[in-house]
Amino acid sequence: MSFIKNNSRFLFILLILVVGSVYFLLNPADHSFFPACPFKSITGLNCPGCGSQRAFHQLLHLNFKKAFEYNALMVISIPYAVLAMTFCFRGVRNRFPKTNRFLFGLNSLLLILGIIVLYFIFRNL
């Protein structure tokens, strides 16, 4: 069991490094093999995730202003995502149960959903 668990972690880290390298080396704005947003292709509207690939490329090059222009919500949500990954560890989650419930409870998820919907509306005005 330990062998499988260690290999899956290794493969996950390897996958992150490979994908990160691809996004670092190749700009999605310049290469057509990166997937286009199906929602935008169908409706012509920007979904909340539109521009995330280009923003990620710019973040890897430490161009925060350009990344923010491509997808502000993604850039702003990075600290929350890092915090969420930290709370995936049982030790952290068990040590700070009130913080875990506050940050990742139902009310927080509804607030996040509301922010995503508002971002979708305002970026398409």
Side-chain angles (χ1 to χ4, degrees), residues 12 69 94 100 110 117 123:
F12 181 70
E69 290 171 9
N94 292 342
N100 185 48
L110 292 174
V117 169
R123 86 183 302 200

Side-chain angles (χ1 to χ4, degrees), residues 10-35:
F10 171 75
L11 290 174
F12 181 70
I13 291 169
L14 183 63
L15 177 67
I16 288 173
L17 290 173
V18 169
V19 170
S21 297
V22 168
Y23 276 97
F24 182 82
L25 296 171
L26 303 174
N27 187 349
D30 300 333
H31 294 85
S32 62
F33 71 87
F34 288 97

Side-chain angles (χ1 to χ4, degrees), residues 43-87:
T43 66
L45 298 172
N46 289 317
C47 77
C50 280
S52 293
Q53 294 181 89
R54 291 171 287 159
F56 185 61
H57 172 79
Q58 295 299 328
L59 284 174
L60 290 174
H61 289 274
L62 303 178
N63 189 349
F64 299 104
K65 182 179 180 214
K66 195 69 172 171
F68 194 82
E69 290 171 9
Y70 282 130
N71 191 317
L73 184 62
M74 188 201 93
V75 174
I76 290 170
S77 67
I78 290 173
Y80 184 78
V82 169
L83 196 60
M85 286 187 277
T86 303
F87 272 86

